[in-house]
Amino acid sequence: MKNIILVGKPNSGKSLLFNQLTGMRQKVANFPGVTVELKSGKFDQYQLVDFPGTYSLQSLSRDEELAIAKLHEAMHSDDTSLIVCNLDATRLERSLVFGLQVRDLAFQHNKGLIFALNMIDEVSRFGHHIDTEQLAQDLGCKVHALSAKTLLGLHEFRLALLDAAQHPQDFIPLKTEEASQPVLEISRKLSQQYGIKADVVLKRQNKIDDFLLNNVFGGLIFLVIMFLLFQSIFTWASPLMDGVEAIVGQLAALSSSVLPPGVVNDFVTDALFGGVGSFLVFVPQIMVLTLVIGLLEDTGYLARAALICHKPLSFFGLSGRSFIPYLSGHACAIPAIFAARTIESPRKRLITMMTIPLMSCSARLPVYALLIAVLVPETQYLGGLLNLQGITFFILYFIGILTALLVSTLLNKLTDMNTDQAEMPFILELPTYRLPHWKPLIHRVLTSAKQFIKRAAPVIFMVSVVIWFLGYFPQNGDLQSSYLAMLGHWIDPIFTPLGLDWRYGVAILVSFLAREVFVGALGTLFGIEGADENIAGLAANIQSDGLALGAGIGLMLFYVVALQCVATVATIKGETGSKKIAWGLFVGYGLLAYFLAFLAATFI
């Protein structure tokens, strides 16, 4: 199958165009370098490959270096039928810098090339018109105006793209009179001739930025937005969580009434609904977190947040670019570690990757939600807009962020300062403010829930089955004389100083596979002891068991800090190329987490 290569600068609508052409719903983000992997999808009988966004063929980061290397490979490959270069019609000069370099590269390798002039709807909104026919003559390549968001001109572009892919030899760039001039000079000249004036586009954006990036109000607004983000995880998801819990409870009761008493009934009720069912209750929180972060990305605020955070993060030895991996880490540490590739400074990139595991990822959400439901009352403020449980959520996230910053400061002091002699300055493009494209955003939310369940459910199911089997036999349900009790009592001395019994020790131990396994493991353990109770109401079972406040707070602090994720350890090893760093973080964060839990259990 022949390939069509899609390239362009970040924030130009390239990923959305890829989605529209292939029917795939790839993530669309307004921050440079978010796309660090090649994405592909089928377009007619061709494979359309979406390359990471880059500003120039001269790389400034590992992300751009990857994109440029892959582009050169594609140019040499016989499988490459056509190059499509996506241009931002609202910022023509910046797009053409890379576009002209790609044109020259396509000419050198005798490859067909067409330009997609994207976001033409925003240009039309300002009453401006771009003469694409004349621009095509000056570029020596076909130019097609379209809007991937409103679908304006997209049908015509599909037909033109198919024709160009079938006859690529007819679309090899032509030499123009200006081809010998510097790229910057040509792009500036063409932008002045065809593009919309920058002050027209930036007028509204600058008014908003004057407020959002104000030295005083900008920081306050940022804190409010971050607070609302974490508050929403609990408040907005609560009705959905109640609904899922009710469904799980009804299914558990139904299965228990249908199945005859015995081993099978106990297995389905305790292992399945007690373990996997308890985990499913917290999936709505993953969806809310993805939705809010997606809104911030698509509107263009995340780039502003990175700019706001640059100065304070610099104090801790980080970069403003560290903000995006940090925020992404609240969804999952693995893509966040990959996102750190965009940080030019090797030292700051390493420090960012090493501290990302301290961000409270979505796998911690079920643990937090369970323990908060056990320990914190549902006290409401401001007519229900805020509640104490949501505030506690924010505090836990804040503790993780604060710990990451403190560790960053320590690492910055310990790392060799000579590694950054040629450190690049902090440069960041602020995208225009845009309304989110809801269809990909909703699909992204649903996909996040699907992937979370797909990734975690099999592990939780296996762990739940093993725990149920060890806890049920050899005495058919007598937990105190079971194999699991023997194991639990063996490791019990480790967790006794934390005010926790052997059941929590077992759950903590198995949750190294994935943090969310902790909830399923406890669900199975408490289900075994209280099979006649509501298995989905795990928090009520733990409350009735009498978890001490200090032990509960210590357990929350343990999961804030501990690196309880084997996949994250493997990812850090892969990105740093060092087993010593990866397992050193696992041991170091584990000891720190144990110490904090011990202090909480002792003094609270």
Side-chain angles (χ1 to χ4, degrees):
M1 183 182 293
K2 290 286 188 177
N3 295 332
I4 300 175
I5 306 302
L6 178 61
V7 297
K9 81 175 189 66
N11 308 313
S12 61
K14 176 176 65 67
S15 295
L16 183 56
L17 176 60
F18 172 77
N19 292 336
Q20 301 289 16
L21 292 174
T22 63
M24 296 178 64
R25 297 296 179 261
Q26 183 188 342
K27 184 177 181 180
V28 181
N30 282 326
F31 185 86
V34 168
T35 309
V36 295
E37 296 179 345
L38 300 180
K39 304 292 183 181
S40 62
K42 190 175 181 182
F43 173 74
D44 202 78
Q45 73 265 35
Y46 299 93
Q47 179 173 253
L48 183 64
V49 183
D50 180 22
F51 276 61
T54 181
Y55 291 100
S56 169
L57 290 181
Q58 284 74 46
S59 62
L60 291 176
S61 68
R62 289 179 63 191
D63 189 32
E64 290 190 343
E65 186 180 342
L66 168 67
I68 294 166
K70 291 296 183 181
L71 178 59
H72 282 289
E73 287 181 18
M75 289 293 182
H76 285 91
S77 174
D78 293 334
D79 291 333
T80 302
S81 176
L82 185 72
I83 312 295
V84 178
C85 185
N86 186 77
L87 303 176
D88 182 354
T90 65
R91 298 185 177 186
L92 197 56
E93 181 177 345
R94 296 179 187 177
S95 291
L96 282 173
V97 170
F98 179 62
L100 290 168
Q101 291 176 332
V102 172
R103 182 197 66 178
D104 295 342
L105 197 62
F107 178 80
Q108 293 172 17
H109 293 277
N110 209 34
K111 295 291 185 182
L113 171 71
I114 61 174
F115 286 105
L117 188 61
N118 209 339
M119 300 188 186
I120 199 67
D121 58 316
E122 296 191 23
V123 173
S124 302
R125 187 159 49 87
F126 290 105
H128 184 76
H129 173 72
I130 296 179
D131 188 344
T132 53
E133 301 240 346
Q134 188 58 48
L135 177 60
Q137 290 185 19
D138 290 340
L139 289 174
C141 295
K142 289 287 186 181
V143 178
H144 301 274
L146 58 92
S147 169
K149 183 176 181 180
T150 66
L151 306 185
L152 178 66
L154 189 63
H155 175 69
E156 293 78 4
F157 179 71
R158 286 178 180 272
L159 298 177
L161 177 59
L162 186 59
D163 178 58
Q166 292 171 342
H167 308 93
Q169 68 279 0
D170 297 337
F171 294 87
I172 297 172
L174 303 174
K175 273 288 186 180
T176 62
E177 296 179 2
E178 300 173 328
S180 59
Q181 298 178 15
V183 167
L184 288 175
E185 185 177 324
I186 301 174
S187 62
R188 186 175 299 112
K189 180 180 177 181
L190 293 177
S191 177
Q192 291 173 350
Q193 183 176 352
Y194 298 102
I196 189 171
K197 292 183 179 180
D199 57 348
V200 175
V201 177
L202 297 177
K203 187 176 181 181
R204 184 186 63 174
Q205 177 178 316
N206 289 340
K207 286 183 177 180
I208 302 175
D209 282 343
D210 287 342
F211 181 67
L212 291 181
L213 300 180
N214 182 274
N215 289 334
V216 178
F217 295 109
L220 293 175
I221 293 170
F222 171 77
L223 291 176
V224 169
I225 290 176
M226 291 300 104
F227 177 79
L228 292 177
L229 187 156
F230 300 124
Q231 176 73 28
S232 66
I233 293 172
F234 202 97
T235 306
W236 296 358
S238 185
L240 292 174
M241 293 175 66
D242 292 341
V244 174
E245 184 174 2
I247 292 173
V248 171
Q250 290 175 2
L251 290 176
L254 178 63
S255 64
S256 180
S257 63
V258 171
L259 295 172
V263 176
V264 175
N265 192 320
D266 292 341
F267 172 78
V268 173
T269 304
D270 299 336
L272 296 186
F273 291 103
V276 180
S278 297
F279 151 75
L280 291 175
V281 169
F282 303 103
V283 172
Q285 291 179 325
I286 311 300
M287 300 173 66
V288 171
L289 175 65
T290 306
L291 174 65
V292 177
I293 292 180
L295 287 172
L296 295 177
E297 284 181 341
D298 290 354
T299 55
Y301 182 76
L302 275 193
R304 274 80 183 174
L307 186 61
I308 291 171
C309 291
H310 178 64
K311 190 172 182 179
L313 286 177
S314 299
F315 178 79
F316 299 99
L318 299 168
S319 162
R321 288 183 182 270
S322 301
F323 171 75
I324 298 302
Y326 270 9
L327 188 61
S328 300
H330 287 96
C332 181
I334 294 172
I337 292 169
F338 289 143
R341 294 173 179 173
T342 61
I343 302 172
E344 295 89 348
S345 163
R347 177 167 55 87
K348 293 178 180 178
R349 182 167 61 243
L350 178 61
I351 293 174
T352 301
M353 285 192 291
M354 293 174 69
T355 51
I356 281 173
L358 291 168
M359 299 297 109
S360 293
C361 66
S362 57
R364 287 177 169 103
L365 276 178
V367 182
Y368 290 171
L370 173 64
L371 296 176
I372 287 173
V374 172
L375 301 171
V376 182
E378 296 184 23
T379 307
Q380 295 186 346
Y381 307 97
L382 300 179
L385 292 176
L386 300 178
N387 65 58
L388 187 57
Q389 292 181 331
I391 294 173
T392 307
F393 245 117
F394 175 76
I395 293 173
L396 290 174
Y397 276 79
F398 178 76
I399 292 173
I401 296 170
L402 180 62
T403 306
L405 295 177
L406 294 176
V407 172
S408 297
T409 304
L410 179 62
L411 292 173
N412 187 48
K413 299 294 184 183
L414 297 176
T415 344
D416 185 5
M417 298 297 291
N418 294 325
T419 57
D420 278 343
Q421 289 179 346
E423 185 171 329
M424 296 294 296
F426 177 68
I427 301 174
L428 180 68
E429 179 186 14
L430 297 180
T432 55
Y433 289 101
R434 304 183 184 117
L435 292 174
H437 196 228
W438 289 102
K439 195 173 181 180
L441 180 58
I442 297 301
H443 189 275
R444 188 191 316 175
V445 171
L446 297 175
T447 301
S448 69
K450 180 181 176 181
Q451 290 177 345
F452 187 72
I453 295 173
K454 186 177 180 181
R455 175 176 62 88
V459 178
I460 291 177
F461 173 75
M462 289 186 292
V463 170
S464 297
V465 170
V466 171
I467 290 176
W468 179 87
F469 178 86
L470 293 176
Y472 195 84
F473 296 103
Q475 297 297 327
N476 291 337
D478 184 3
L479 185 61
Q480 297 302 322
S481 59
S482 67
Y483 298 123
L484 191 61
M486 299 176 192
L487 173 64
H489 291 307
W490 184 71
I491 64 173
D492 189 54
I494 300 175
F495 297 96
T496 299
L498 307 184
L500 303 172
D501 64 29
W502 64 270
R503 294 169 300 179
Y504 294 95
V506 170
I508 291 173
L509 192 64
V510 298
S511 68
F512 175 59
L513 295 172
R515 292 180 182 94
E516 59 272 24
V517 171
F518 176 83
V519 176
L522 275 189
T524 304
L525 289 169
F526 278 86
I528 292 172
E529 285 200 317
D532 57 331
E533 301 177 14
N534 179 13
I535 301 305
L538 178 56
N541 286 6
I542 295 176
Q543 280 179 331
S544 63
D545 188 66
L547 178 65
L549 178 62
I553 293 176
L555 192 53
M556 285 193 287
L557 292 176
F558 180 88
Y559 273 96
V560 168
V561 177
L563 209 174
Q564 292 287 100
C565 180
V566 66
T568 301
V569 174
T571 303
I572 293 174
K573 175 187 172 296
E575 284 295 289
T576 62
S578 171
K579 291 182 180 178
K580 184 178 178 181
I581 291 177
W583 290 107
L585 288 177
F586 170 72
V587 174
Y589 287 152
L591 292 175
L592 177 59
Y594 188 92
F595 177 69
L596 293 175
F598 174 76
L599 290 180
T602 304
F603 296 104
I604 297 179

